Amino acid sequence: MNNFSYLRVADVASAVNAVAGESDTFFIAGGTNIIDLMKENVTRPKRLVDITHLPLTRIEEREGGGLRLGALVTNADTAYNTAVRHRYPLLSKAILAGASPQLRNMATNGGNLLQRTRCYYFYDTATPCNKREPGTGCSALDGFNRIHAILGASEHCIATHPSDMCVALLALEAIVQVTGPNGDRSISLDQFHRLPGDTPHIDTNLARGEIITAIDLPAKGFADHYEYLKVRDRTSYAFALVSVAAALELNGDTIADARLALGGVAHKPWRSREAEARLVGQPATRETFEAAAELVLHGAKGFGSNDFKIPLAKRAIVRALETATRMGNA
Ligand SMILES: Cc1cc2nc3c(=O)[nH]c(=O)nc-3n(C[C@H](O)[C@H](O)[C@H](O)COP(=O)(O)OP(=O)(O)OC[C@H]3O[C@@H](n4cnc5c(N)ncnc54)[C@H](O)[C@@H]3O)c2cc1C
Ligand code: SF4
């Protein structure tokens, strides 16, 4: 373990000041990811800034009907919040599909967005990894890549983003609120995470010194027809091989609106607007869903051990959309 100093802050401005301009200083919230990364010697902070005492622990109504989720509300408190359960059950279900009860009691909403990939080589400091050490190469390309990306990957990195919560947030068009040295700004969930390109060491578009203060949910929650389907090696305590957040608005048997996002398949939660457009105006049938699934996976590429994810993702999309359709019609 490397030595590091520890600072606890009580307001957002102090948190931003403590980190801005300091490349070896990191925030710590629930600590469920950053402490693991420190133990494995992947992240070596000189200083940790504890943000758990910041006043970002509330879930509040927004003007116009949405909800604001404080960055430091735990994943458990978010998933079990009455408003979230009733108005955004897709989000609640996605969060509860992740990790374990103990972890969800510690993990925060802000930390969930910033958790790092579970690529085995990223955690193994004896192997080359462009994300951990830019320019060293990618061990997964020709290695064991069963959990890796099939969409949006690059020759520099084929890692996936591991969050379940973010897949639902993407489908719900959530907005991330941040504060930094240059003031406040909003980033859509879609623009928050990045594809690897030739800079796989940069996971998100958050600038140095910026802190996530909240996540805003728009009013539309698709509470009547939704599904979060997570396919994984074990039914608990395992990351997604493929996950699907499906949300539909139905007018009789016709699809009036649709959202479709996938997890476990790319460096960021993956939304297919093309497939959503293909669904709208169509009858909610298996044939329609299969056509949408083909569109989502158009251009998908496996790297050997993960080839199975392509047909798996197609079947998962169809099943999630069928489940979402049947809700309320039983
Ligand atoms: C065994 C295990 C299984 C898991 N399974 C799943 C799973 O199936 N699905 C899933 O989605 N997740 C899973 N997780 C991951 C877990 O959800 C994350 O570790 C957790 O959400 C991170 O939140 P945290 O508050 O503990 O973050 P921390 O570990 O405290 O921080 C993570 C990162 O975020 C930064 N950070 C934290 N808060 C902020 C903020 N407000 N603003 C700016 N930066 C911030 C920190 O600097 C750090 O870089 C699992 C974790 C473990 C250990
Ligand atoms: S896939 Fe990305 S994280 Fe994994 S070894 Fe390659 S560069 Fe590193």
Side-chain angles (χ1 to χ4, degrees), residues 26-36 51 56 71-72 75 97-100 103 106-112 114-115 118 162-165 206 210-213 230 232 237-240:
F26 292 84
F27 296 128
I28 179 167
T32 61
N33 191 215
I34 195 164
I35 295 291
D36 279 358
I51 57 173
L56 306 172
L72 289 166
N75 286 179
S100 66
L103 283 159
M106 289 299 294
T108 63
N109 292 335
N112 193 304
L114 291 166
Q115 62 175 294
R118 309 307 286 201
S163 169
D164 291 295
M165 179 181 188
L206 202 63
E210 282 184 327
I211 186 170
I212 300 172
T213 54
K230 179 174 178 180
R232 48 187 154 169
Y237 209 47
F239 290 90

Side-chain angles (χ1 to χ4, degrees), residues 184-197:
D184 301 341
R185 67 184 179 119
S186 307
I187 312 171
S188 71
L189 210 283
D190 199 21
Q191 294 299 312
F192 188 80
H193 299 98
R194 295 162 58 102
L195 288 177

Side-chain angles (χ1 to χ4, degrees), residues 2-293:
N2 293 294
N3 287 331
F4 62 90
S5 64
Y6 169 88
L7 173 72
R8 181 183 283 171
V9 287
D11 59 80
V12 171
S14 307
V16 169
N17 283 339
V19 163
E22 304 285 339
S23 61
D24 295 326
T25 300
F26 292 84
F27 296 128
I28 179 167
T32 61
N33 191 215
I34 195 164
I35 295 291
D36 279 358
L37 291 166
M38 288 168 64
K39 286 183 188 164
E40 299 291 341
N41 225 10
V42 175
T43 303
R44 291 184 283 270
K46 289 217 174 81
R47 181 156 75 153
L48 283 183
V49 177
D50 180 347
I51 57 173
T52 53
H53 285 61
L54 300 187
L56 306 172
T57 53
R58 295 180 59 186
I59 294 181
E60 295 167 313
E61 293 293 336
R62 287 175 64 221
E63 226 172 275
L67 274 190
R68 171 159 291 183
L69 312 174
L72 289 166
V73 182
T74 65
N75 286 179
D77 285 347
T78 303
Y80 292 119
N81 175 272
T82 306
V84 173
R85 280 198 301 123
H86 289 155
R87 287 153 52 188
Y88 306 95
L90 173 65
L91 177 60
S92 186
K93 189 167 186 186
I95 294 173
L96 294 176
S100 66
Q102 293 89 339
L103 283 159
R104 293 192 298 265
N105 282 338
M106 289 299 294
T108 63
N109 292 335
N112 193 304
L113 266 58
L114 291 166
Q115 62 175 294
R116 306 209 69 192
T117 184
R118 309 307 286 201
C119 171
Y120 332 106
Y121 304 103
F122 176 67
Y123 277 80
D124 179 356
T125 53
T127 60
C129 168
N130 285 326
K131 186 180 282 297
R132 183 170 23 78
E133 273 183 70
T136 56
C138 172
S139 299
L141 267 179
D142 297 317
F144 186 53
N145 45 43
R146 185 168 180 275
I147 62 170
H148 288 76
I150 51 172
L151 288 163
S154 78
E155 59 182 317
H156 302 288
C157 179
I158 59 171
T160 56
H161 192 264
S163 169
D164 291 295
M165 179 181 188
C166 291
V167 184
L169 289 175
L170 179 64
L172 293 168
E173 297 190 339
I175 306 286
V176 186
Q177 301 297 347
V178 310
T179 299
N182 299 321
D184 301 341
R185 67 184 179 119
S186 307
I187 312 171
S188 71
L189 210 283
D190 199 21
Q191 294 299 312
F192 188 80
H193 299 98
R194 295 162 58 102
L195 288 177
D198 57 6
T199 53
H201 57 292
I202 309 174
D203 289 342
T204 71
N205 287 317
L206 202 63
R208 187 77 216 152
E210 282 184 327
I211 186 170
I212 300 172
T213 54
I215 301 162
D216 287 349
L217 299 174
K220 194 163 182 176
F222 293 90
D224 293 333
H225 296 280
Y226 68 89
E227 170 66 338
Y228 186 75
L229 175 63
K230 179 174 178 180
V231 185
R232 48 187 154 169
D233 286 327
R234 295 183 304 270
T235 50
S236 123
Y237 209 47
F239 290 90
L241 290 167
V242 168
S243 69
V244 181
L248 296 173
E249 186 182 318
L250 296 177
N251 185 0
D253 292 334
T254 303
I255 301 168
D257 198 1
R259 302 276 174 79
L260 198 51
L262 269 64
V265 297
H267 197 259
K268 58 187 278 189
W270 187 269
R271 180 176 175 188
S272 175
R273 285 191 164 78
E274 203 186 357
E276 291 170 4
R278 175 71 177 75
L279 288 166
V280 173
Q282 300 298 310
T285 60
R286 188 174 182 88
E287 291 68 38
T288 302
F289 300 154
E290 284 172 348

